[in-house]
Amino acid sequence: LTSLFPDSLQTVQVAVPGPFQGPLSYLSKTVIPIGCRVEVPLGNRTVVGIVVDHENPDDIDPKKLKPVSRQLDERPLLSIDILSIAQWMSRYYLHEFSSAYLLALPALLRKGEVPAASVETRVKLTLEGKAIDPAQLKRSPKQQALLDILQRADQLSMEQIRQLGFTSAHLKSLETKRLCEREEVEQLGEIKPTGDKLETSLTLNSEQQAALDRLTQDIFTPFLLEGVTGSGKTEVYLQAIEACLRKGKRALVLVPEIGLTPQTIQRFQRRFKDPLVALHSGMTDKQRQQAWYQASLGQASVVIGTRSAVLTPIPDLGLIVIDEEHDVSFKQQDTLRYQARDVALKRAQQANIPIVLGSATPSLETLHNALIGRFGHLLLPNRAAGAQMPLVETVDMRKQQNRNGLSERLLLRTHDHLRDGNQALLFLNRRGFAPSWFCDQCGWIADCVYCDANLTHHRHSNTNICHHCGHREKPAHSCPSCGHSPLQAMGTGTERAEELLADLFPDIPVIRFDRDAASTRKKFEAQLEKTQADGPAIIVGTQMLAKGHHFERVTLVGIWDIDTGLFSADLRAKERMGQLLTQVSGRSGRGERRGEVLIQTYYPENPIFTPLLNHDYRTFAVKLLDERKKAGLPPFGFVAVIRSDSAFADRAENLLRSMASYLLSLKTVRVLGPIPALLSRRAGKNRYMLIVQAEKRSALHEAVVPLHSHYPRQEKQVSWHIDIDPAELS
Ligand code: ADP
Ligand code: ZN
Ligand code: ZN
């Protein structure tokens, strides 16, 4: 009997957290379905893992395996389609095997918690509530609006009411008037999508209609929806989603990290009666887990989220939308370095459904795919509401008086626009008070002791801060090099700009957007709220401003400083700059008055500006594509960057040198380096990189995959990683 015992055990393959390149095998007395979580022993700990397979690799003796400690789920938490995408990701991005599987789960479930079926509070109208004319509540517009929506929707969940921008106080008032009542429902099964609407859709213009007609297919078709800012891309998404819901299928919408604000969510929730869930970093772990679980049970018809939402299990998925597809936040820059846009494409292909990538400034990769016909190309060349594109001009800084970099010309135009009661938006891609703290006698500049970078002076807190490692110190009073005092803040950051503007326009509110003034989602939203007040205002900030927010009343956009971007060594610097300029310019003049854009530069004759002055991002991008083609760079070739860092420069460099000679010996890839990273020292670590290029994706992968077995990820105080399809060559 005892000899039979091992045979009645099953082996399971489990994705466990840790530096493994595949799943680990364990024994189980029962058959545990693939996609369930288990607790398993690992070293002297117990960890939560995910069952990914049942087969046992031939070379493992079952007698040596340890048993699963506990099965956590009876039914799979991750569906087969998600498991297969995760498997693809772990092979493609070459990080720890389990990381993509774990990424698919919200944090609490990763820790082993039991997913809670949600008890939903529904709000329904009473007979009185159904009969009453909402106009009777016109003294309290919010209550009137809520009643109006309830009459159109029949019933709403508390979550929907919240997403629509109402508070429980609004609801209470209606309840006290006995117009509606609440009901607790335990939601177990799925909720069928209907596509029924709360508000009527806009009548599409002919370009929008043509785009919509092609989007409503039932097979895998990737599309680029290229439309200038304000061309009505969102309306196209909404109607494509409606068509999808009407077929009983669900939709997934991905937006950039900073783009997912209550306003964005409301825009989608206002349209449909169907439930929607949002997934983003501003939610608590508990909220995230609940939203994720609802989505996975099919209780949401629309799932809208940031990067990692791409792995949300959604039954009967019928459409994927990626808004602002060029945005860098779709690429994760640490651990599992995945590009959510590419993962979404893979997912759409596997699910055999359409996917639409929308942007006014498509990434070169996506544009290329559209130009060669691999993606359908949908164009919205005009602004939907009839607004004209803004007038764009450069301001030659060599011929201008300026105060902290603000030219006479931009100052005068700002004055004009504010006088007319409009808002002006000034863009300055540098936060802090001033980019450096410096001695005007000898030229000494305060450096970070841990990085190869200047410290940024922050006046408000009177500290010099390193923006690369976070190191802070009190600014020196006298020059450590020549003894001169006082020292000065040189250059202009958003904090100094705000101070200067407040000084120049004492009666006008100045609203600042950067990682300091809008450090949390809440603060960011509070700043956004301020921009909605009546009257003139100045909005000043970093690239946070370029991310798809509509500032309806901005008529003037000023680009304070863009020149540093002209000379960056990074592969994508020019692409980014063109996108940024176009996107920031697009914030202007969406309303009645024609917008105006002024670009301050010391290099007005630089050809990079020409197409942008004519609203011709396409010509600009095609030119860059040409340069990429000559260099064999993406999308014409494939690139991986291998980065190493160490407190000892020679160890970091030598590791890459050894890899380089191995890779070169293969004769299938080109290798550049090792070279010091753009920021060669950061947080006390010396950083090097190796650029690996190949014409074929497979050649690149075949070359770099074996590195993981030859070189431990952490050894002799050197750590290293591979970044496939890097967002930056730095
Ligand atoms: P995008 O997403 O391309 O920046 P939006 O979808 O936000 O553009 O649309 C810009 C503005 O134009 C919005 O105020 C929207 O309500 C309006 N709009 C969009 N489509 C139409 C249409 N077909 N008719 C009238 N107005 C429209
Ligand atoms: Zn000095
Ligand atoms: Zn530093």
Short mmCIF file of all heavy atoms in Angstrom, two decimals, residues 375-428:
data_model
loop_
_atom_site.label_atom_id
_atom_site.label_comp_id
_atom_site.label_asym_id
_atom_site.label_seq_id
_atom_site.Cartn_x
_atom_site.Cartn_y
_atom_site.Cartn_z
N PHE A 375 -1.79 47.56 -39.52
CA PHE A 375 -2.93 48.03 -38.73
C PHE A 375 -3.87 48.80 -39.65
O PHE A 375 -3.40 49.47 -40.58
CB PHE A 375 -2.49 49.02 -37.64
CG PHE A 375 -1.71 48.45 -36.50
CD1 PHE A 375 -1.34 47.11 -36.44
CD2 PHE A 375 -1.33 49.28 -35.45
CE1 PHE A 375 -0.61 46.61 -35.38
CE2 PHE A 375 -0.60 48.79 -34.38
CZ PHE A 375 -0.23 47.45 -34.34
N GLY A 376 -5.16 48.72 -39.39
CA GLY A 376 -6.08 49.62 -40.07
C GLY A 376 -5.80 51.04 -39.62
O GLY A 376 -5.43 51.27 -38.47
N HIS A 377 -5.95 51.99 -40.53
CA HIS A 377 -5.60 53.37 -40.21
C HIS A 377 -6.83 54.25 -40.32
O HIS A 377 -7.35 54.48 -41.40
CB HIS A 377 -4.52 53.83 -41.20
CG HIS A 377 -3.72 55.00 -40.71
ND1 HIS A 377 -2.59 55.44 -41.33
CD2 HIS A 377 -3.90 55.82 -39.65
CE1 HIS A 377 -2.10 56.48 -40.67
NE2 HIS A 377 -2.88 56.72 -39.65
N LEU A 378 -7.29 54.75 -39.19
CA LEU A 378 -8.49 55.58 -39.16
C LEU A 378 -8.07 57.01 -38.84
O LEU A 378 -7.33 57.23 -37.89
CB LEU A 378 -9.45 55.08 -38.08
CG LEU A 378 -9.68 53.55 -38.08
CD1 LEU A 378 -10.46 53.13 -36.84
CD2 LEU A 378 -10.42 53.14 -39.34
N LEU A 379 -8.55 57.95 -39.62
CA LEU A 379 -8.08 59.33 -39.46
C LEU A 379 -9.20 60.30 -39.08
O LEU A 379 -10.29 60.25 -39.66
CB LEU A 379 -7.46 59.81 -40.77
CG LEU A 379 -6.17 59.10 -41.20
CD1 LEU A 379 -5.82 59.44 -42.63
CD2 LEU A 379 -5.03 59.47 -40.27
N LEU A 380 -8.91 61.14 -38.10
CA LEU A 380 -9.82 62.23 -37.77
C LEU A 380 -9.00 63.52 -37.87
O LEU A 380 -8.39 63.95 -36.91
CB LEU A 380 -10.38 62.09 -36.34
CG LEU A 380 -11.12 60.80 -35.99
CD1 LEU A 380 -11.58 60.83 -34.54
CD2 LEU A 380 -12.33 60.61 -36.91
N PRO A 381 -8.99 64.14 -39.05
CA PRO A 381 -8.07 65.27 -39.27
C PRO A 381 -8.55 66.59 -38.68
O PRO A 381 -7.76 67.52 -38.57
CB PRO A 381 -7.98 65.36 -40.79
CG PRO A 381 -9.18 64.66 -41.31
CD PRO A 381 -9.70 63.74 -40.27
N ASN A 382 -9.83 66.67 -38.29
CA ASN A 382 -10.34 67.97 -37.84
C ASN A 382 -10.89 67.91 -36.43
O ASN A 382 -11.33 66.87 -35.96
CB ASN A 382 -11.47 68.43 -38.78
CG ASN A 382 -11.00 68.49 -40.20
OD1 ASN A 382 -9.99 69.12 -40.51
ND2 ASN A 382 -11.69 67.77 -41.07
N ARG A 383 -10.90 69.05 -35.80
CA ARG A 383 -11.52 69.13 -34.48
C ARG A 383 -13.03 68.98 -34.62
O ARG A 383 -13.64 69.57 -35.50
CB ARG A 383 -11.16 70.46 -33.82
CG ARG A 383 -9.72 70.44 -33.33
CD ARG A 383 -9.43 71.61 -32.45
NE ARG A 383 -8.21 71.35 -31.66
CZ ARG A 383 -7.67 72.23 -30.86
NH1 ARG A 383 -8.21 73.43 -30.70
NH2 ARG A 383 -6.59 71.93 -30.18
N ALA A 384 -13.60 68.17 -33.72
CA ALA A 384 -15.00 67.78 -33.88
C ALA A 384 -15.96 68.93 -33.64
O ALA A 384 -16.93 69.11 -34.36
CB ALA A 384 -15.33 66.63 -32.94
N ALA A 385 -15.68 69.71 -32.61
CA ALA A 385 -16.64 70.74 -32.27
C ALA A 385 -16.44 71.99 -33.12
O ALA A 385 -16.98 73.05 -32.84
CB ALA A 385 -16.52 71.07 -30.78
N GLY A 386 -15.63 71.87 -34.16
CA GLY A 386 -15.48 72.96 -35.12
C GLY A 386 -14.39 73.95 -34.76
O GLY A 386 -14.10 74.85 -35.54
N ALA A 387 -13.76 73.77 -33.58
CA ALA A 387 -12.71 74.73 -33.21
C ALA A 387 -11.54 74.62 -34.18
O ALA A 387 -11.23 73.55 -34.70
CB ALA A 387 -12.24 74.44 -31.78
N GLN A 388 -10.92 75.77 -34.44
CA GLN A 388 -9.75 75.78 -35.33
C GLN A 388 -8.52 75.30 -34.57
O GLN A 388 -8.45 75.41 -33.35
CB GLN A 388 -9.48 77.21 -35.78
CG GLN A 388 -10.33 77.66 -36.94
CD GLN A 388 -9.94 79.08 -37.30
OE1 GLN A 388 -10.16 80.00 -36.51
NE2 GLN A 388 -9.37 79.25 -38.48
N MET A 389 -7.53 74.82 -35.31
CA MET A 389 -6.27 74.50 -34.67
C MET A 389 -5.59 75.82 -34.28
O MET A 389 -5.78 76.83 -34.93
CB MET A 389 -5.37 73.73 -35.64
CG MET A 389 -5.89 72.33 -36.01
SD MET A 389 -6.17 71.28 -34.57
CE MET A 389 -4.49 70.73 -34.25
N PRO A 390 -4.81 75.78 -33.21
CA PRO A 390 -4.21 77.04 -32.75
C PRO A 390 -3.12 77.56 -33.71
O PRO A 390 -2.57 76.80 -34.50
CB PRO A 390 -3.58 76.65 -31.41
CG PRO A 390 -3.39 75.19 -31.47
CD PRO A 390 -4.47 74.66 -32.35
N LEU A 391 -2.86 78.85 -33.60
CA LEU A 391 -1.73 79.47 -34.31
C LEU A 391 -0.46 79.16 -33.52
O LEU A 391 -0.42 79.42 -32.32
CB LEU A 391 -1.91 80.98 -34.31
CG LEU A 391 -2.76 81.60 -35.39
CD1 LEU A 391 -2.94 83.08 -35.10
CD2 LEU A 391 -2.11 81.40 -36.76
N VAL A 392 0.55 78.64 -34.18
CA VAL A 392 1.77 78.31 -33.46
C VAL A 392 2.91 79.17 -33.99
O VAL A 392 3.06 79.34 -35.20
CB VAL A 392 2.16 76.83 -33.64
CG1 VAL A 392 3.31 76.46 -32.72
CG2 VAL A 392 0.96 75.93 -33.37
N GLU A 393 3.70 79.74 -33.11
CA GLU A 393 4.89 80.48 -33.56
C GLU A 393 6.03 80.28 -32.58
O GLU A 393 5.81 79.93 -31.41
CB GLU A 393 4.58 81.97 -33.70
CG GLU A 393 4.22 82.63 -32.37
CD GLU A 393 4.05 84.15 -32.50
OE1 GLU A 393 2.91 84.61 -32.77
OE2 GLU A 393 5.05 84.86 -32.33
N THR A 394 7.25 80.46 -33.07
CA THR A 394 8.38 80.38 -32.16
C THR A 394 8.76 81.80 -31.72
O THR A 394 8.53 82.77 -32.43
CB THR A 394 9.62 79.75 -32.83
OG1 THR A 394 9.84 80.40 -34.07
CG2 THR A 394 9.41 78.27 -33.07
N VAL A 395 9.31 81.89 -30.52
CA VAL A 395 9.80 83.16 -30.02
C VAL A 395 11.32 83.05 -29.94
O VAL A 395 11.83 82.17 -29.24
CB VAL A 395 9.23 83.44 -28.61
CG1 VAL A 395 9.83 84.71 -28.03
CG2 VAL A 395 7.71 83.52 -28.66
N ASP A 396 12.02 83.88 -30.69
CA ASP A 396 13.48 83.80 -30.73
C ASP A 396 14.06 84.45 -29.47
O ASP A 396 14.08 85.67 -29.33
CB ASP A 396 13.98 84.53 -31.99
CG ASP A 396 15.48 84.35 -32.17
OD1 ASP A 396 16.14 83.92 -31.21
OD2 ASP A 396 15.97 84.65 -33.28
N MET A 397 14.52 83.62 -28.56
CA MET A 397 14.97 84.10 -27.26
C MET A 397 16.22 84.96 -27.36
O MET A 397 16.53 85.72 -26.45
CB MET A 397 15.21 82.93 -26.31
CG MET A 397 13.94 82.21 -25.90
SD MET A 397 12.76 83.30 -25.08
CE MET A 397 13.44 83.34 -23.41
N ARG A 398 16.95 84.83 -28.47
CA ARG A 398 18.16 85.64 -28.63
C ARG A 398 17.81 87.12 -28.78
O ARG A 398 18.62 87.99 -28.55
CB ARG A 398 18.95 85.17 -29.85
CG ARG A 398 19.52 83.76 -29.68
CD ARG A 398 20.04 83.21 -30.98
NE ARG A 398 18.99 83.21 -32.01
CZ ARG A 398 19.11 82.63 -33.20
NH1 ARG A 398 20.24 82.04 -33.53
NH2 ARG A 398 18.13 82.67 -34.07
N LYS A 399 16.56 87.38 -29.22
CA LYS A 399 16.17 88.76 -29.48
C LYS A 399 15.22 89.30 -28.43
O LYS A 399 14.56 90.30 -28.65
CB LYS A 399 15.50 88.84 -30.85
CG LYS A 399 16.43 88.41 -31.98
CD LYS A 399 15.74 88.51 -33.32
CE LYS A 399 16.66 88.04 -34.43
NZ LYS A 399 15.91 87.45 -35.54
N GLN A 400 15.08 88.59 -27.32
CA GLN A 400 14.08 88.97 -26.34
C GLN A 400 14.70 89.32 -24.99
O GLN A 400 15.65 88.67 -24.55
CB GLN A 400 13.11 87.81 -26.12
CG GLN A 400 12.22 87.51 -27.28
CD GLN A 400 11.03 88.45 -27.33
OE1 GLN A 400 10.47 88.84 -26.30
NE2 GLN A 400 10.64 88.84 -28.54
N GLN A 401 14.13 90.33 -24.35
CA GLN A 401 14.42 90.53 -22.93
C GLN A 401 13.72 89.39 -22.20
O GLN A 401 12.64 88.97 -22.61
CB GLN A 401 13.77 91.83 -22.45
CG GLN A 401 14.19 93.04 -23.21
CD GLN A 401 15.31 93.75 -22.48
OE1 GLN A 401 16.10 93.10 -21.77
NE2 GLN A 401 15.40 95.05 -22.66
N ASN A 402 14.30 88.91 -21.13
CA ASN A 402 13.53 87.92 -20.38
C ASN A 402 13.75 88.03 -18.89
O ASN A 402 14.77 88.54 -18.43
CB ASN A 402 13.83 86.50 -20.88
CG ASN A 402 15.17 85.98 -20.40
OD1 ASN A 402 15.31 85.61 -19.23
ND2 ASN A 402 16.16 85.96 -21.28
N ARG A 403 12.76 87.55 -18.16
CA ARG A 403 12.88 87.47 -16.70
C ARG A 403 12.78 86.01 -16.32
O ARG A 403 11.74 85.39 -16.55
CB ARG A 403 11.74 88.25 -16.04
CG ARG A 403 12.26 89.50 -15.31
CD ARG A 403 11.13 90.24 -14.70
NE ARG A 403 10.94 89.86 -13.30
CZ ARG A 403 10.04 90.43 -12.51
NH1 ARG A 403 9.24 91.36 -12.98
NH2 ARG A 403 9.94 90.06 -11.26
N ASN A 404 13.84 85.46 -15.79
CA ASN A 404 13.90 84.03 -15.47
C ASN A 404 13.43 83.17 -16.63
O ASN A 404 12.75 82.17 -16.46
CB ASN A 404 13.05 83.70 -14.24
CG ASN A 404 13.56 84.39 -13.00
OD1 ASN A 404 12.79 84.97 -12.26
ND2 ASN A 404 14.87 84.36 -12.79
N GLY A 405 13.76 83.60 -17.82
CA GLY A 405 13.42 82.79 -18.99
C GLY A 405 12.05 83.07 -19.57
O GLY A 405 11.64 82.43 -20.53
N LEU A 406 11.30 84.00 -18.98
CA LEU A 406 10.00 84.36 -19.54
C LEU A 406 10.19 85.59 -20.42
O LEU A 406 10.55 86.66 -19.94
CB LEU A 406 9.01 84.66 -18.41
CG LEU A 406 7.59 85.06 -18.85
CD1 LEU A 406 6.88 83.90 -19.54
CD2 LEU A 406 6.77 85.51 -17.65
N SER A 407 9.95 85.42 -21.72
CA SER A 407 10.24 86.50 -22.66
C SER A 407 9.19 87.60 -22.59
O SER A 407 8.06 87.39 -22.18
CB SER A 407 10.31 85.95 -24.09
OG SER A 407 9.03 85.49 -24.47
N GLU A 408 9.62 88.78 -23.03
CA GLU A 408 8.74 89.92 -23.15
C GLU A 408 7.48 89.55 -23.94
O GLU A 408 6.37 89.84 -23.55
CB GLU A 408 9.53 91.00 -23.93
CG GLU A 408 9.03 92.40 -23.78
CD GLU A 408 9.22 92.93 -22.37
OE1 GLU A 408 10.28 92.66 -21.77
OE2 GLU A 408 8.30 93.59 -21.86
N ARG A 409 7.71 88.87 -25.06
CA ARG A 409 6.62 88.55 -25.97
C ARG A 409 5.59 87.63 -25.31
O ARG A 409 4.38 87.88 -25.35
CB ARG A 409 7.20 87.88 -27.22
CG ARG A 409 6.19 87.23 -28.13
CD ARG A 409 6.08 87.91 -29.49
NE ARG A 409 5.06 87.28 -30.30
CZ ARG A 409 3.87 87.83 -30.52
NH1 ARG A 409 3.55 89.01 -30.05
NH2 ARG A 409 2.97 87.19 -31.25
N LEU A 410 6.09 86.56 -24.69
CA LEU A 410 5.16 85.63 -24.03
C LEU A 410 4.44 86.33 -22.88
O LEU A 410 3.25 86.11 -22.64
CB LEU A 410 5.91 84.38 -23.55
CG LEU A 410 5.08 83.29 -22.86
CD1 LEU A 410 3.88 82.87 -23.71
CD2 LEU A 410 5.94 82.06 -22.55
N LEU A 411 5.16 87.18 -22.19
CA LEU A 411 4.56 87.91 -21.08
C LEU A 411 3.40 88.79 -21.57
O LEU A 411 2.30 88.78 -21.00
CB LEU A 411 5.62 88.77 -20.40
CG LEU A 411 5.15 89.63 -19.23
CD1 LEU A 411 4.60 88.76 -18.11
CD2 LEU A 411 6.29 90.50 -18.71
N LEU A 412 3.63 89.50 -22.68
CA LEU A 412 2.60 90.38 -23.22
C LEU A 412 1.37 89.59 -23.69
O LEU A 412 0.23 89.98 -23.44
CB LEU A 412 3.15 91.20 -24.39
CG LEU A 412 4.06 92.35 -23.98
CD1 LEU A 412 4.70 93.00 -25.21
CD2 LEU A 412 3.26 93.40 -23.18
N ARG A 413 1.64 88.48 -24.38
CA ARG A 413 0.50 87.67 -24.86
C ARG A 413 -0.29 87.11 -23.68
O ARG A 413 -1.52 87.06 -23.72
CB ARG A 413 0.99 86.52 -25.76
CG ARG A 413 1.68 86.93 -27.06
CD ARG A 413 0.89 87.92 -27.90
NE ARG A 413 -0.40 87.41 -28.32
CZ ARG A 413 -1.52 88.14 -28.39
NH1 ARG A 413 -1.50 89.41 -28.05
NH2 ARG A 413 -2.64 87.60 -28.79
N THR A 414 0.43 86.67 -22.65
CA THR A 414 -0.24 86.15 -21.47
C THR A 414 -1.16 87.22 -20.89
O THR A 414 -2.33 86.97 -20.59
CB THR A 414 0.80 85.72 -20.40
OG1 THR A 414 1.71 84.80 -21.00
CG2 THR A 414 0.14 85.07 -19.21
N HIS A 415 -0.61 88.41 -20.79
CA HIS A 415 -1.37 89.54 -20.29
C HIS A 415 -2.67 89.72 -21.07
O HIS A 415 -3.75 89.85 -20.50
CB HIS A 415 -0.50 90.79 -20.39
CG HIS A 415 -1.02 91.90 -19.56
ND1 HIS A 415 -0.69 92.05 -18.23
CD2 HIS A 415 -1.86 92.92 -19.86
CE1 HIS A 415 -1.29 93.09 -17.74
NE2 HIS A 415 -2.01 93.65 -18.71
N ASP A 416 -2.56 89.73 -22.39
CA ASP A 416 -3.72 89.90 -23.28
C ASP A 416 -4.80 88.85 -23.05
O ASP A 416 -5.97 89.17 -22.93
CB ASP A 416 -3.26 89.75 -24.74
CG ASP A 416 -2.90 91.09 -25.34
OD1 ASP A 416 -2.80 92.06 -24.56
OD2 ASP A 416 -2.72 91.15 -26.57
N HIS A 417 -4.36 87.60 -23.04
CA HIS A 417 -5.34 86.52 -22.91
C HIS A 417 -6.03 86.55 -21.55
O HIS A 417 -7.23 86.32 -21.45
CB HIS A 417 -4.66 85.16 -23.14
CG HIS A 417 -4.43 84.86 -24.59
ND1 HIS A 417 -5.23 84.01 -25.32
CD2 HIS A 417 -3.49 85.31 -25.46
CE1 HIS A 417 -4.79 83.94 -26.57
NE2 HIS A 417 -3.72 84.72 -26.68
N LEU A 418 -5.27 86.88 -20.51
CA LEU A 418 -5.86 86.95 -19.18
C LEU A 418 -6.84 88.11 -19.10
O LEU A 418 -7.91 87.99 -18.50
CB LEU A 418 -4.76 87.11 -18.12
CG LEU A 418 -3.80 85.93 -17.96
CD1 LEU A 418 -2.69 86.29 -16.98
CD2 LEU A 418 -4.54 84.68 -17.47
N ARG A 419 -6.49 89.21 -19.72
CA ARG A 419 -7.35 90.38 -19.70
C ARG A 419 -8.72 90.05 -20.31
O ARG A 419 -9.75 90.53 -19.86
CB ARG A 419 -6.69 91.51 -20.48
CG ARG A 419 -7.35 92.88 -20.31
CD ARG A 419 -6.90 93.82 -21.41
NE ARG A 419 -7.04 93.17 -22.70
CZ ARG A 419 -6.22 93.34 -23.73
NH1 ARG A 419 -5.18 94.14 -23.63
NH2 ARG A 419 -6.43 92.71 -24.89
N ASP A 420 -8.71 89.18 -21.31
CA ASP A 420 -9.97 88.79 -21.92
C ASP A 420 -10.71 87.72 -21.13
O ASP A 420 -11.69 87.15 -21.60
CB ASP A 420 -9.73 88.27 -23.35
CG ASP A 420 -9.16 89.37 -24.25
OD1 ASP A 420 -9.25 90.56 -23.86
OD2 ASP A 420 -8.61 89.04 -25.32
N GLY A 421 -10.20 87.40 -19.96
CA GLY A 421 -10.89 86.44 -19.10
C GLY A 421 -10.56 84.99 -19.39
O GLY A 421 -11.23 84.08 -18.91
N ASN A 422 -9.53 84.76 -20.20
CA ASN A 422 -9.18 83.38 -20.56
C ASN A 422 -8.09 82.82 -19.65
O ASN A 422 -7.52 83.54 -18.83
CB ASN A 422 -8.69 83.33 -22.00
CG ASN A 422 -9.80 83.69 -22.96
OD1 ASN A 422 -10.91 83.15 -22.86
ND2 ASN A 422 -9.53 84.61 -23.86
N GLN A 423 -7.80 81.56 -19.85
CA GLN A 423 -6.71 80.93 -19.10
C GLN A 423 -5.47 80.79 -19.99
O GLN A 423 -5.59 80.56 -21.19
CB GLN A 423 -7.12 79.55 -18.61
CG GLN A 423 -8.24 79.58 -17.58
CD GLN A 423 -8.62 78.18 -17.12
OE1 GLN A 423 -8.30 77.18 -17.75
NE2 GLN A 423 -9.32 78.12 -15.99
N ALA A 424 -4.31 80.92 -19.37
CA ALA A 424 -3.06 80.70 -20.08
C ALA A 424 -2.37 79.50 -19.45
O ALA A 424 -2.42 79.31 -18.23
CB ALA A 424 -2.16 81.92 -19.98
N LEU A 425 -1.77 78.66 -20.30
CA LEU A 425 -1.08 77.49 -19.79
C LEU A 425 0.40 77.61 -20.16
O LEU A 425 0.74 77.79 -21.33
CB LEU A 425 -1.70 76.24 -20.41
CG LEU A 425 -1.18 74.86 -20.01
CD1 LEU A 425 -2.28 73.82 -20.19
CD2 LEU A 425 0.02 74.44 -20.83
N LEU A 426 1.25 77.56 -19.16
CA LEU A 426 2.68 77.68 -19.42
C LEU A 426 3.37 76.38 -19.06
O LEU A 426 3.21 75.86 -17.96
CB LEU A 426 3.26 78.85 -18.61
CG LEU A 426 2.61 80.20 -18.94
CD1 LEU A 426 3.15 81.30 -18.05
CD2 LEU A 426 2.83 80.57 -20.41
N PHE A 427 4.11 75.88 -20.04
CA PHE A 427 4.70 74.56 -19.90
C PHE A 427 6.20 74.66 -19.69
O PHE A 427 6.91 75.34 -20.44
CB PHE A 427 4.39 73.76 -21.15
CG PHE A 427 5.14 72.46 -21.24
CD1 PHE A 427 4.72 71.37 -20.50
CD2 PHE A 427 6.25 72.35 -22.05
CE1 PHE A 427 5.42 70.18 -20.57
CE2 PHE A 427 6.95 71.16 -22.12
CZ PHE A 427 6.53 70.07 -21.38
N LEU A 428 6.67 73.99 -18.67
CA LEU A 428 8.07 74.07 -18.29
C LEU A 428 8.44 72.72 -17.74
O LEU A 428 7.96 72.33 -16.68
CB LEU A 428 8.18 75.15 -17.21
CG LEU A 428 9.51 75.45 -16.58
CD1 LEU A 428 10.49 75.86 -17.64
CD2 LEU A 428 9.34 76.59 -15.58
#
